[in-house]
Amino acid sequence: MEPPWATTAAETGQGTTPPLPNEILTEILARLPAKSIGRFRAVSREWCAMLSSASFVGLHARLANALSRRRPRLLLTPARSPSYDGYVYSWRPGGPFEKLMRDDLRLGCPIPNSKPCHGLILIRCTNKGGYLVCNPSTGTMLALPDTYAPLKLTVRQKSVGARFRMPLFWEVCYGLGYCSVTRKHKVVRIFSNLSGSASTCEVLVLDAPAYWRPAAQQPPSYYVDENNPAVFVNGYLHFFSHEAGITTFNTTSETLGLLKLPRLDWQKPLLTELDGCLCFCTEEPGSNAHFLVFLLRDHVEARWEKLCCIDRSAWPESERRLLQSLCIAPLCMYHSDDGRKKIMFGTGTLKVFVVDPDSVDVPEILFTPDGTIIGSCDDGFYLMLGLFEEHLGPVGRTIEEMVFSSPTTKAWSDVLKWMSARSVSELSLVCREWRAMIMTDRFVQSHAIYANLNKSPRVMIILDARYGLYVDLKDFSGSWALVNDPDLLCSQPCHGLNVGSSGIWDFVCNPAMGYCQHIDIETPNDDETFFAGRIGMGYDSSINKHVLVHISYKMKDLVTREYKLECKLQYVNEKLWHMVDAPPRPVADMPPAYVNGKICWMAEPNLGPVSLSCKIVAFNVDAGKFEIMEGPPCSHNNGRMFMLQLRGALCVACSDKSSNVIDIWMMQDNGSWSMEYHIELSEFLPDYSSDNTTPLAIDPNDGRILLNTGRSLGYYNPKMVALETIFRVDKYSLKFCPIICEESLVCPLGPL
């Protein structure tokens, strides 16, 4: 087959000018940057097929990176400094900075977690941002599933009789490898716990319609560390284990093995690749100056060779201070223009220097970020730089793109989305394609809609909110031990999640799946002026994330009506709280409600300016700002008032002690209020009274209102003025706390 650029002189309209030979055109194109090749692929389908062929991709990788054997090219992820312009750069010693791609991660600082593996690198985003596979040459990225908050690192309740689903993992380590037989990239991760009593290995094949799956062989029970990522060398991924040495993973057979380290008296161990060999680096015990470098010259015999010992105490004071860092790691070994062998090192402060392994003399400093487009960088335990190579390799399609391209998978998706969350979770084990489909955001969002469509409210009883222990009301027995916690409150569901409070601690949960996560508010224990407020949860549709908003009182005086509020915002699964402007009015100590993109609190009538009308403090999730809304025409003096969401609308329930009734006011689309429900409780005393009864939900099938007193649950029929009790405990039992939950697979909860 002739290349698509093979044309005759007549076809080109060049007269008698002969075209370039095909071999020369191929050689020219193969030396162009990957982004230029990408533009040439748009010329025609024939050009796209030819420039995407395996033979051309291999030729391009050899020719475009020929210079890197003598002058390595670095990948620089800029520090978040005043000069940071939001781009990832490449740089070759003695050359200019080259802009590669925009840093659109916004999930913490991106850290190259691997050296180029057939053009692709594994990126770890700090602050629990997850992992991505990236090709900096083409600017393409692929977010890996279940790395933002791996489910195996999340506490999940298996059943009422068991506290945790075991084994419970605490650490995970990732690596990117390549199988030369299938020509597929594989991402491998090993889970372990602190005691080293259990571990498991999972594999994700890029550009394959499947989810994480168990490896063909499971690893020994040793502890791995995420901060020491796996290294790919000669068909094996190498995971550093603190107890056993090195666990190896064969990317073809997916079997595991063990390698011994060259010495046991190490400190600050580090694995990397150098000169095509596995490299082990460590500091000399008892000395912060001696840096030892070993190479594994024979993988079969596990023969290590001591390459060099770098004595940093012999360096001049200026170089020693400049290169002082929490992290120093070799980047590559190369031959300089004079033929001498050099080792290039990087530091946690984005400094780059080289040493001669034979003489280990004074280091030659090649790069410092100060005063450059990269910007200065605080010292850290990670290298925010790595190697770069030109490559045309694709990162692959997302799992969602692959699985939903199949008509069969789409048909099964339409069937499974109507089923309960537990059933869908169990059916995810049927095959890899089903699991991949069920774990996509597309299916999770679709399931949350259809699995709850026109269904009666699902009620569960909280047995222990600390560990996510819930039981369905229909399975609840009086023999179950109830938690004596009068402060325990829980919100209505928000896109599958509930938020709750118990005294001074808060939690987020998905009762349908048995997930629970404590929320760290970061409050000082010795601050006597601190008064906890109620936490609210909403949903940011622009980024598809749940948002927590916590309002607290730093000071309040009911006599003078003076107060001081503090407000924080956090995305679920992130550990960092962001300060936001406090609301213009104080909030009452009652749970808020989330409706139509706003988290709504009842304004506190006993603080701040006196108001004759009912006010509502609303936080607009998309805008990130507070606003004040007019409430219904009811008074705080008559009884209790509380917020809730019914039939998708904001409602305020107002009780009247004198007549023992509860009126539910509903906000209309134009902002006006109308009284939709009038609940008369005089006939149902003493079990139900306006003082102890709270509406929870409305059954969409018959319009009955579910009422809760803490000792009784009943459905009130407003048309018939009748009440049917569906559950009751005797007066000698502790109160129970019901929770309304939705069928949902949403579990974006992070590790403890």
Side-chain angles (χ1 to χ4, degrees):
M1 177 181 178
E2 289 188 344
W5 48 78
T7 56
T8 63
E11 290 172 332
T12 59
Q14 299 290 328
T16 59
T17 304
L20 289 174
N22 297 333
E23 295 79 6
I24 295 179
L25 281 173
T26 304
E27 290 284 329
I28 293 174
L29 291 173
R31 285 173 167 80
L32 293 177
K35 288 187 177 181
S36 298
I37 299 297
R39 288 192 289 269
F40 280 123
R41 285 174 174 172
V43 171
S44 65
R45 294 180 179 178
E46 291 78 15
W47 276 63
C48 182
M50 182 61 66
L51 297 179
S52 302
S53 64
S55 59
F56 182 82
V57 170
L59 177 64
H60 174 267
R62 291 192 302 272
L63 298 181
N65 298 292
L67 184 59
S68 296
R69 299 184 183 92
R70 291 185 295 107
R71 296 173 61 194
R73 193 173 174 186
L74 298 181
L75 177 71
L76 302 172
T77 55
R80 301 303 197 260
S81 63
S83 61
Y84 173 60
D85 64 349
Y87 281 86
V88 176
Y89 288 84
S90 70
W91 175 79
R92 178 175 280 129
F97 292 100
E98 297 183 31
K99 188 179 294 185
L100 292 176
M101 56 183 286
R102 187 163 186 84
D103 174 18
D104 290 327
L105 304 179
R106 291 181 290 181
L107 295 171
C109 297
I111 300 172
N113 217 53
S114 71
K115 293 188 177 180
C117 176
H118 288 256
L120 305 187
I121 59 174
L122 186 63
I123 297 289
R124 175 189 176 189
C125 298
T126 58
N127 299 328
K128 301 296 180 183
Y131 286 79
L132 306 98
V133 172
C134 172
N135 184 343
S137 301
T138 59
T140 53
M141 293 184 295
L142 177 69
L144 299 180
D146 195 38
T147 60
Y148 184 76
L151 296 182
K152 281 188 169 59
L153 298 184
T154 304
V155 175
R156 176 182 175 183
Q157 190 64 40
K158 182 178 181 180
S159 64
V160 174
R163 174 163 291 184
F164 297 122
R165 181 189 62 178
M166 299 299 290
L168 178 63
F169 299 108
W170 298 90
E171 269 300 339
V172 62
C173 185
Y174 288 80
L176 174 66
Y178 184 80
C179 177
S180 57
V181 175
T182 61
R183 294 184 179 180
K184 292 281 189 179
H185 284 84
K186 293 182 179 181
V187 182
V188 182
R189 63 182 182 183
I190 293 181
F191 290 92
S192 66
N193 56 30
L194 294 174
S195 64
S197 59
S199 58
T200 187
C201 181
E202 292 185 334
V203 181
L204 178 71
V205 181
L206 298 188
D207 208 36
Y211 202 67
W212 292 98
R213 58 171 174 79
Q217 183 180 355
Q218 290 304 300
S221 298
Y222 294 120
Y223 176 71
V224 295
D225 186 1
E226 187 174 17
N227 296 326
N228 214 330
V231 178
F232 181 68
V233 180
N234 298 326
Y236 288 85
L237 277 166
H238 301 80
F239 295 83
F240 177 78
S241 173
H242 287 266
E243 297 88 355
I246 299 173
T247 299
T248 63
F249 178 89
N250 188 310
T251 54
T252 300
S253 63
E254 297 191 2
T255 55
L256 293 106
L258 290 174
L259 275 177
K260 293 183 178 180
L261 291 171
R263 56 190 299 163
L264 297 178
D265 53 342
W266 41 258
Q267 65 181 29
K268 294 184 179 180
L270 174 69
L271 284 182
T272 185
E273 180 272 334
L274 203 62
D275 198 27
C277 301
L278 183 66
C279 175
F280 175 74
C281 306
T282 181
E283 290 185 355
E284 187 75 38
S287 171
N288 293 327
H290 293 177
F291 191 81
L292 305 176
V293 181
F294 297 86
L295 293 183
L296 183 65
R297 292 299 188 184
D298 191 329
H299 194 280
V300 177
E301 299 294 333
R303 180 172 59 85
W304 292 89
E305 172 189 304
K306 182 178 178 180
L307 183 63
C308 62
C309 176
I310 301 174
D311 184 6
R312 287 172 286 179
S313 63
W315 293 356
E317 181 69 17
S318 58
E319 278 79 0
R320 190 164 65 249
R321 287 188 175 183
L322 184 63
L323 300 178
Q324 185 177 2
S325 174
L326 296 171
C327 176
I328 297 179
L331 294 173
C332 65
M333 183 183 293
Y334 67 99
H335 288 85
S336 60
D337 294 336
D338 58 5
R340 300 181 63 183
K341 186 180 294 185
K342 299 284 187 179
I343 302 179
M344 179 182 290
F345 286 83
T347 71
T349 55
L350 279 177
K351 310 288 196 311
V352 180
F353 66 94
V354 297
V355 297
D356 189 325
D358 296 325
S359 61
V360 195
D361 51 8
V362 178
E364 178 187 356
I365 299 176
L366 299 180
F367 174 75
T368 59
D370 304 286
T372 69
I373 191 65
I374 304 303
S376 59
C377 177
D378 294 332
D379 198 7
F381 293 96
Y382 316 105
L383 288 184
M384 296 179 61
L385 52 86
L387 293 181
F388 172 78
E389 68 177 27
E390 291 282 352
H391 206 281
L392 295 169
V395 297
R397 297 164 293 172
T398 65
I399 292 179
E400 186 169 307
E401 291 172 340
M402 288 181 284
V403 297
F404 284 101
S405 62
S406 166
T408 303
T409 305
K410 290 178 66 176
W412 278 116
S413 171
D414 290 335
V415 173
L416 298 180
K417 69 184 181 183
W418 295 92
M419 304 180 69
S420 69
R422 287 285 187 180
S423 299
V424 172
S425 180
E426 293 171 357
L427 289 173
S428 67
L429 303 178
V430 169
C431 63
R432 296 173 185 174
E433 288 76 13
W434 277 29
R435 180 163 179 80
M437 172 195 66
I438 289 170
M439 299 304 293
T440 60
D441 290 339
R442 174 175 171 178
F443 179 83
V444 170
Q445 294 174 7
S446 176
H447 172 266
I449 296 173
Y450 289 95
N452 298 286
L453 200 61
N454 295 325
K455 289 189 176 180
S456 299
R458 181 180 176 185
V459 183
M460 301 187 79
I461 303 298
I462 301 179
L463 297 184
D464 196 334
R466 295 170 300 174
Y467 302 110
L469 191 56
Y470 316 95
V471 61
D472 270 297
L473 180 64
K474 60 183 178 61
D475 300 324
F476 184 72
S477 169
S479 61
W480 295 113
L482 292 172
V483 179
N484 186 15
D485 190 348
D487 296 323
L488 182 60
L489 293 171
C490 204
S491 73
Q492 295 173 289
C494 171
H495 290 255
L497 295 185
N498 301 68
V499 64
S501 302
S502 176
I504 62 172
W505 59 277
D506 305 286
F507 60 93
V508 176
C509 62
N510 180 346
M513 295 298 292
Y515 282 87
C516 183
Q517 177 72 26
H518 289 199
I519 303 171
D520 184 9
I521 305 298
E522 302 174 354
T523 58
N525 295 327
D526 57 348
D527 188 353
E528 297 181 356
T529 64
F530 179 82
F531 298 90
R534 290 297 181 186
I535 193 167
M537 180 169 60
Y539 190 78
D540 191 334
S541 57
S542 63
I543 57 176
N544 294 324
K545 283 188 178 182
H546 287 81
V547 177
L548 298 173
V549 178
H550 185 268
I551 303 175
S552 58
Y553 283 94
K554 301 301 289 183
M555 183 275 291
K556 61 180 177 180
D557 190 326
L558 297 178
V559 176
T560 64
R561 304 182 66 90
E562 295 181 352
Y563 69 94
K564 182 178 180 181
L565 285 178
E566 182 179 87
C567 186
K568 301 177 182 179
L569 180 146
Q570 182 191 85
Y571 292 103
V572 171
N573 191 45
E574 292 186 5
K575 299 297 183 182
L576 184 64
W577 286 92
H578 307 277
M579 300 299 298
V580 295
D581 292 337
R585 295 292 295 265
V587 297
D589 187 17
M590 63 180 66
Y594 174 73
V595 181
N596 296 329
K598 296 180 180 180
I599 309 174
C600 301
W601 290 261
M602 186 67 65
E604 173 58 63
N606 299 315
L607 293 173
V610 178
S611 176
L612 299 179
S613 61
C614 176
K615 301 291 184 181
I616 294 175
V617 178
F619 181 80
N620 190 311
V621 174
D622 290 337
K625 295 181 180 180
F626 283 96
E627 59 187 67
I628 302 298
M629 300 190 306
E630 287 292 333
C634 51
S635 173
H636 291 272
N637 299 325
N638 295 336
R640 298 187 307 146
M641 296 178 63
F642 38 90
M643 314 286 302
L644 66 159
Q645 177 268 123
L646 298 175
R647 289 167 28 197
L650 179 64
C651 296
V652 175
C654 307
S655 65
D656 190 332
K657 294 181 181 180
S658 59
S659 57
N660 202 35
V661 300
I662 298 177
D663 293 329
I664 299 180
W665 293 79
M666 182 176 292
M667 177 179 275
Q668 306 302 310
D669 293 338
N670 60 2
S672 63
W673 292 86
S674 64
M675 192 179 71
E676 294 291 318
Y677 301 98
H678 182 72
I679 303 174
E680 300 179 7
L681 298 174
S682 299
E683 297 182 24
F684 313 108
L685 291 171
D687 289 345
Y688 299 87
S689 70
S690 61
D691 271 348
N692 68 4
T693 303
T694 303
L696 294 181
I698 293 181
D699 192 319
N701 299 305
D702 53 25
R704 294 184 302 164
I705 306 171
L706 181 63
L707 303 179
N708 169 49
T709 69
R711 295 189 182 277
S712 300
L713 277 175
Y715 273 106
Y716 179 83
N717 190 327
K719 296 180 180 179
M720 307 296 295
V721 192
L723 197 154
E724 176 191 1
T725 297
I726 60 174
F727 181 78
R728 177 188 289 117
V729 295
D730 58 53
K731 62 181 180 179
Y732 302 106
S733 299
L734 298 174
K735 287 187 175 182
F736 60 86
C737 182
I739 180 173
I740 304 297
C741 69
E742 294 178 343
E743 292 293 346
S744 174
L745 297 166
V746 177
C747 295
L749 311 180
L752 294 179

